[in-house]
Amino acid sequence: MKIFCSRANPTTGSVEWLEEDEHYDYHQEIARSSYADMLHDKDRNVKYYQGIWAAVSRVKNRGQKALVLDIGTGTGLLSMMAVTAGADFCYAIEVFKPMADAAVKIVEKNGFSDKIKVINKHSTEVTVGSEGDMPCRANILVTELFDTELIGEGALPSYEHAHRHLVEENCEAVPHRATVYAQLVESRRMWSWNKLFPIRVQTSLGEQVIVPPVDLESCPGAPSVCDIQLNQVSPADFTVLSDVLPMFSIDFSKQVSSSAACHSRQFEPLTSGQAQVVLSWWDIEMDPEGKIKCTMAPFWAHSDPEEMQWRDHWMQCVYFLPQEEPVVQGSALYLVAHHDDYCVWYSLQRTGPEKNERVRQMRPVCDCQAHLLWNRPRFGEINDQDRTDRYVQALRTVFTVESSAASHKLLRKIFKANHLEDKINIIEKRPELLTNEDLKGRKVSLLLGEPFFTTSLLPWHNLYFWYVRTAVDQHLGPGAVVMPQAASLHAVVVEFRDLWRIRSPCGDCEGFDVHIMDDMIKRALDFKESREAEPHPLWEYPCRSLSEPRQILAFDFRQPVPPQPLCAEGTVELRRPGRSHAAVLWMEYHLTPECTLSTGLLEPADPEGGCCWNPHCKQAVYFFSPAPDHRALVGGPRTVSYAVEFHPDTGDIAMEFRLADTPE
């Protein structure tokens, strides 16, 4: 059976109908999920098994049967841990049918079918009784319902329902408890992801300052958390204003409430400064005594930084205060963590709220539109003064084409704030619909773009600028300047320190002796991986370059998009020993022959191959298949062959990279 999915092509701008097979969702969801990352997370797996074993032992020591409820079972790993630890029976709940089907096969493959029942339902739909999914309530509750924010996957409502309907009162719970921590900091770099700074532009008349509208400055920002690999943010990029504060804890063995609440912690600032950002993470204790702990703390707050477990399925949180506030060293303040059933946010107060007071402050919501149109990297990109300095304004009168009504409204506000509304005309149309009347009979002498488009995911999606340039070709005057003049696609072969784990097949789960990956899961994880790249912000994921950067394709924006494909084939020599995990691709935009902006490498690699990536852009990562053995270094020179083809009709770039054998 075939299904059809519509999508807006991010490169050409057209709407397309794509034919997919009936397993489309299965392949996409599982292949792009974090299951491989979690299965490689030895710290998580060992701590869960230790906690489950201890919980089963406590129940058995009371002379009771150990009946386990596993909510969100995924691959069935935690259920198999429970049976291995001596549980009499386990009910494994998984709402996503393709994953539930995979769990059934994995459980069967490992010989646990007689003691594990996989139930393909949401936990709130599970029933208990002689006619229900479970004959009686469980006395051990095992879950892994957590995201980087802890509660963002609906952990609180799921626990609330489970305690009311599915488990015994005061049941054993693994994890037993979670604690959320926070630290207040001042950071111009992170604050630049949330607020628009004045932009300084050098002109022939001197320095001109472009200021944001008042409502952008007063806007509390986006309500969503910014989750990142906080260990990759240099301590030089922020000033610590508070100690690490335990904000609130949740005891999962007792009734949990999903109602909105707030938790206040008094502190004295360690130094004076501007309170802007709250860094946050959590830990989970697997046992009531707190001896088995799994923490997401960054290196400066970790008890043993040398033994930190890298993981990408759980990271750390960056929250932005609604407004920056001055704080004075030694003057007591209150940091308040607010949460509803799915989200957390923070505020700074001079006086503390009553203990257990319900949330009175509503979750911040953007009212300036900018935070809805621009993501955090886009704010950082706009605030990058070095990048701004590379652009030159050439005309006093500018026409700007903007097809989005929301963007149109936002730009109007920015122009008005800078008294430019009479000098810049916004044309709210798609480029191909532009008419001579829209341009007041004039020809365009300068076609200028960054280029940046909100629909872009992969680096080459911003080639949409080329299609815009083609659509307005008839409106360009003789000798019209197109800026950027050209673009080029570049690639380098890298060895990742950790990112390889998310796509590395794992026949066994690290830290627990079961076979996780049957053929079906392997096919899912390999689906489209061998011929597609995926976007990642590589400033968060350290890597070493094993080759020199190579230009793969060139795109001439001075000419319309050509009708024929652009093709390139060749080989890349690996000049450094290492594990060849992937090829990284990015775009470079040539504003003029002398001035280039890179969305990838910002400078040549250091002697050891260390890379400095553009922090405002995601690069494309093409993982090699099959993945190289991460346990053994590859010695001697090798080559990687590539074949890349740009299809102008679709705007897609097809590619294939292959590791060659070591030359004799």
Side-chain angles (χ1 to χ4, degrees), residues 148-149 180-183 225-226 230 245 247-248 277-282 296 298 315-319 344 346:
T148 295
E149 200 172 16
V180 173
Y181 299 88
Q183 190 168 33
V225 65
C226 176
L230 197 54
L245 305 172
M247 297 305 301
F248 63 93
V277 173
V278 176
L279 309 180
S280 182
W281 57 89
W282 49 263
M296 306 306 117
M315 294 184 281
Q316 294 81 37
C317 301
V318 174
Y319 296 96
V344 179
Y346 285 85

Side-chain angles (χ1 to χ4, degrees), residues 273-402:
Q274 291 291 322
Q276 299 169 326
V277 173
V278 176
L279 309 180
S280 182
W281 57 89
W282 49 263
D283 63 31
I284 45 178
E285 297 170 358
M286 300 297 184
D287 62 323
E289 295 79 22
K291 296 180 179 179
I292 309 170
K293 182 182 292 186
C294 186
T295 181
M296 306 306 117
F299 67 86
W300 65 85
H302 201 283
S303 59
D304 190 358
E306 297 300 321
E307 296 298 323
M308 287 183 61
Q309 169 76 52
W310 182 88
R311 48 175 67 95
D312 204 48
H313 58 103
W314 295 328
M315 294 184 281
Q316 294 81 37
C317 301
V318 174
Y319 296 96
F320 304 101
L321 294 178
Q323 296 297 325
E324 61 180 348
E325 299 185 42
V327 298
V328 178
Q329 182 178 6
S331 297
L333 294 168
Y334 292 85
L335 184 63
V336 184
H338 310 259
H339 73 78
D340 53 24
D341 49 350
Y342 283 90
C343 298
V344 179
W345 63 98
Y346 285 85
S347 66
L348 196 62
Q349 298 181 4
R350 304 293 170 180
T351 58
E354 299 265 339
K355 187 177 181 181
N356 297 325
E357 179 185 3
R358 293 296 177 89
V359 172
R360 294 176 180 173
Q361 177 180 326
M362 298 297 292
R363 182 158 62 105
V365 177
C366 170
D367 54 22
C368 74
Q369 300 300 309
H371 299 90
L372 304 179
L373 291 167
W374 300 335
N375 58 22
R376 270 72 182 240
R378 177 57 172 165
F379 270 92
E381 187 175 53
I382 295 173
N383 286 322
D384 187 335
Q385 188 62 48
D386 178 69
R387 178 179 177 277
T388 299
D389 291 342
R390 293 172 181 260
Y391 283 93
V392 177
Q393 294 289 349
L395 297 174
R396 288 178 298 176
T397 302
V398 179
F399 292 94
T400 178
V401 178
E402 180 54 68

Side-chain angles (χ1 to χ4, degrees), residues 523-565:
R523 287 198 301 272
L525 287 172
D526 289 340
F527 180 71
K528 292 189 177 179
E529 296 300 322
S530 63
R531 291 179 178 271
E532 281 196 357
E534 53 192 78
H536 291 282
L538 292 190
W539 73 269
E540 295 185 53
Y541 304 101
C543 63
R544 294 174 56 242
S545 66
L546 303 183
S547 72
E548 296 302 316
R550 170 69 61 87
Q551 179 175 312
I552 303 294
L553 289 175
F555 311 92
D556 187 354
F557 295 162
R558 292 168 296 184
Q559 303 298 325
V561 176
Q564 69 278 5

Side-chain angles (χ1 to χ4, degrees), residues 52-69:
I52 291 171
W53 184 89
V56 171
S57 297
R58 289 193 296 272
V59 171
K60 292 283 191 177
N61 290 339
R62 295 196 292 263
Q64 301 174 346
K65 285 188 174 182
L67 302 178
V68 177
L69 174 64

